[in-house]
């Protein structure tokens, strides 16, 4: 059995590295993609900044520049904490780009005014909190009315779902879109679609780990456990009375 067949769908770093092998000589950033053929590597970060940093380090090992998108109003993480901000900025030092993962689930359908207002607000938070310009963004869970806005530049920033990077159709002719959402290659595997001269791969760092044989339950548990440990260490640092109980809570 080929290595790919064995690893396909494990969402392990070994599977990820096989994909990176194929990307090594490709144009992988959104800026490159405006100039010709590409395989964009995009990372939306939903839960775990440590896993984003790890994935950034692997991309760098392969000499690949990718783009990470962070939420600014998420309940799962605070990108502006001293620790998290340092981790996000380390991605820039690795040569990657960082943009806004634009949360819009509370924006009513077809309310373009509210959409623009939200963008302005979240952009301000991003720029003041991370001290980085917000030049690019990806929508988080974009509904059809949002995907139907076919513009590369929206609200003064580059839109990851713009027509140069994403074809809004279930049967793309030119630009293949691939995503690992919910631990599934729902639009096919990147390595099975290399005949496309243009491709956008969305790999959520949260979904990947070094483990090759995790069940769905074990994968979800690992994600929750990591976040729990992070929370516990924050309480431990801030609350003196926590120490005697720490081990019982862990
Ligand atoms: Zn998202």
């Amino acid at each position: 059995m080929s290595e790919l067949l064995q690893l396909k769908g494990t969402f392990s770093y070994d599977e990820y590295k096989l994909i990176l092998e194929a990307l090594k000589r490709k144009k992988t950033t959104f800026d490159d993609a405006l100039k010709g053929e590409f395989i964009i590597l995009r990372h939306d970060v939903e839960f775990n900044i440590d896993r984003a940093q790890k994935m950034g380090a692997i991309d760098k090992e392969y000499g690949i520049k990718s783009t990470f998108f962070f939420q600014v109003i998420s309940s799962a993480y605070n990108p502006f904490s001293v620790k998290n901000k340092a981790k996000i900025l380390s991605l820039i030092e690795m040569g990657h780009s960082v943009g806004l993962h634009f949360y819009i689930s509370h924006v009513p359908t077809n309310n373009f005014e509210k959409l623009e207002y939200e963008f302005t607000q979240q952009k301000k938070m991003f720029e003041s909190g991370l001290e980085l310009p917000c030049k690019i963004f990806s929508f988080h869970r974009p509904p059809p009315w949002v995907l139907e806005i076919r513009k590369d530049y929206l609200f003064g920033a580059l839109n990851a779902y713009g027509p140069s990077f994403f074809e809004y159709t279930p049967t793309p002719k030119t630009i293949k879109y691939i995503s690992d959402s919910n631990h599934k290659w729902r639009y096919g595997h990147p390595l099975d679609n290399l005949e496309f001269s243009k491709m956008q791969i969305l790999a959520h760092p949260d979904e990947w780990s070094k483990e090759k044989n995790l069940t769905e339950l074990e994968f979800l548990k690992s994600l929750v456990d990591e976040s729990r440990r992070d929370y516990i260490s924050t309480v431990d640092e801030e609350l003196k009375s926590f120490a005697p109980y720490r081990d019982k809570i862990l």
Side-chain angles (χ1 to χ4, degrees):
M1 207 194 290
S2 79
E3 203 181 359
L4 174 61
L5 272 179
Q6 278 178 331
L7 292 169
K8 215 183 236 184
T10 59
F11 298 95
S12 61
Y13 292 143
D14 284 354
E15 179 183 5
Y16 186 62
K17 288 174 180 179
L18 286 184
I19 298 167
L20 293 188
E21 273 295 335
L23 267 62
K24 275 203 308 206
R25 274 167 290 279
K26 304 286 182 182
K27 307 278 185 202
T28 52
T29 70
F30 285 85
D31 278 340
D32 290 335
L34 288 168
K35 296 169 203 148
E37 297 189 351
F38 58 81
I39 303 186
I40 289 169
L41 185 55
R42 164 180 153 202
H43 301 303
D44 291 354
V45 183
E46 318 289 7
F47 304 115
N48 190 313
I49 292 182
D50 286 322
R51 290 193 185 193
Q53 199 183 26
K54 170 73 183 164
M55 196 159 248
I58 301 173
D59 292 349
K60 184 172 187 277
E61 249 175 63
Y62 282 74
I64 292 168
K65 292 189 192 318
S66 51
T67 309
F68 289 79
F69 294 92
F70 292 91
Q71 297 195 31
V72 293
I73 55 169
S74 162
S75 298
Y77 62 75
N78 172 13
F80 310 132
S81 74
V82 173
K83 276 186 210 163
N84 286 342
K85 180 176 172 179
K87 288 171 193 167
I88 292 172
L89 296 182
S90 78
L91 294 167
I92 305 263
E93 279 157 33
M94 291 178 206
H96 305 308
S97 303
V98 171
L100 171 69
H101 196 34
F102 182 21
Y103 183 90
I104 53 167
S105 301
H106 56 316
V107 176
T109 304
N110 291 326
N111 192 334
F112 295 92
E113 212 173 295
K114 169 78 173 154
L115 188 71
E116 181 161 18
Y117 174 78
E118 265 307 311
F119 185 81
T120 309
Q121 293 300 104
Q122 292 185 34
K123 180 182 186 225
K124 269 190 233 163
M125 291 179 220
F126 180 99
E127 294 190 328
S128 66
L130 292 174
E131 297 177 83
L132 288 176
C134 179
K135 292 187 193 157
I136 183 164
F137 72 98
S138 65
F139 286 108
H140 173 64
R141 296 187 174 277
W145 71 275
V146 161
L147 290 175
E148 280 157 16
I149 309 170
R150 306 308 298 141
K151 285 182 178 167
D152 282 344
Y153 286 92
L154 200 55
F155 315 131
L158 204 54
N159 167 20
Y161 288 98
S164 293
F165 322 115
F166 176 77
E167 258 181 271
Y168 185 43
T169 161
T171 50
K173 303 263 182 310
T174 319
I175 312 171
K176 178 69 178 166
Y177 176 79
I178 299 237
S179 163
D180 62 353
S181 296
N182 299 311
H183 252 179
K184 299 216 165 35
W185 292 116
R186 197 152 56 98
Y187 306 98
H189 194 277
L191 298 179
D192 293 332
N193 285 281
L194 294 173
E195 74 275 15
F196 281 88
S197 58
K198 297 181 175 182
M199 193 191 305
Q200 177 173 173
I201 302 172
L202 169 56
H204 293 85
D206 319 290
E207 304 273 345
W208 297 77
S209 74
K210 64 180 192 324
E211 306 297 336
K212 275 183 274 208
N213 300 305
L214 291 185
T215 63
E216 197 60 16
L217 174 65
E218 287 164 338
F219 154 66
L220 292 168
K221 195 170 178 307
S222 73
L223 203 55
V224 171
D225 282 348
E226 280 172 41
S227 168
R228 191 166 178 271
R229 275 198 295 276
D230 204 37
Y231 184 81
I232 285 173
S233 75
T234 303
V235 178
D236 202 15
E237 281 163 28
E238 300 293 334
L239 203 63
K240 282 198 173 61
S241 59
F242 185 73
Y245 303 102
R246 188 200 309 115
D247 293 344
K248 289 190 180 108
I249 289 172
L250 272 172

